């Protein structure tokens, strides 16, 4: 296979510790240098530092008597997983790339829904 003169191939190299992570949100803004700072986080229920339980007459673990921190039930954790800093041009390119990937996802979802509707129509006949 011959290369065209106006073609370039990018080779991807992954470090040994490459490990994609799940995120469900981002927070950030524009830095003093005019770059976009994006911090990705995973939002989840917090874990307690400690929970105290009553010990029953039978010597078993009974109901909770204390939880630390006391606001555990009214809190959420946003664990910042990682972040990126991009310049204006890279932000535009990422915006375009995400838009294209969203179009692909939308098309896949529409195809799945059409297939499910078709299968449901076949089952009801």
């Amino acid at each position: 296979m011959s290369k065209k003169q106006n073609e370039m191939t990018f080779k991807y190299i992954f470090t040994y510790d490459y490990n994609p992570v799940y995120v469900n949100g981002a927070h950030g803004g524009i830095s003093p240098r005019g770059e976009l700072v994006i911090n990705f986080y995973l939002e989840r229920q917090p874990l307690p530092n400690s929970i105290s339980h009553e010990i029953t007459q039978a010597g078993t673990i009974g109901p909770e008597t204390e939880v630390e921190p006391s606001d555990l039930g009214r809190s959420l954790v946003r664990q910042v997983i990682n972040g990126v800093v991009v310049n204006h041009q890279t932000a535009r390119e990422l915006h375009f790339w995400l838009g294209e990937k969203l179009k692909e996802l939308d098309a896949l979802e529409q195809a799945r829904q059409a297939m499910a509707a078709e299968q449901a129509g076949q089952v009801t006949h």
Side-chain angles (χ1 to χ4, degrees):
M1 185 174 3
S2 67
K3 294 275 182 207
K4 299 177 196 168
Q5 264 193 329
N6 61 348
E7 182 179 276
M8 180 180 292
T9 300
F10 291 92
K11 306 242 180 197
Y12 292 82
I13 299 172
F14 297 86
T15 63
Y16 76 94
D17 60 347
Y18 172 74
N19 184 26
V21 294
Y22 177 79
V23 298
N24 57 16
H27 183 270
I30 299 172
S31 77
R33 295 179 179 257
E35 297 169 317
L36 187 59
V37 178
I38 311 163
N39 296 299
F40 296 101
Y41 60 79
L42 171 64
E43 195 170 75
R44 62 173 176 79
Q45 297 291 331
L47 296 173
N49 294 331
S50 66
I51 299 176
S52 299
H53 288 264
E54 180 181 304
I55 302 298
T56 67
Q57 292 278 8
T60 61
I61 296 175
E64 288 181 10
T65 57
E66 187 178 352
V67 176
E68 177 61 38
S70 60
D71 67 346
L72 186 71
R74 298 180 314 278
S75 299
L76 287 174
V77 170
R78 285 186 171 170
Q79 181 179 356
V80 178
I81 304 296
N82 50 39
V84 296
V85 179
V86 295
N87 64 29
H88 191 180
Q89 181 59 36
T90 302
R92 286 190 178 284
E93 292 166 3
L94 285 171
H95 181 263
F96 176 79
W97 182 84
L98 280 171
E100 293 300 306
K101 297 307 162 194
L102 285 171
K103 288 176 192 174
E104 290 177 29
L105 284 173
D106 289 343
L108 284 172
E109 183 60 28
Q110 288 175 353
R112 283 189 191 117
Q113 289 175 358
M115 185 177 285
E118 183 179 308
Q119 289 174 349
Q122 290 174 357
V123 172
T124 59
H125 289 321

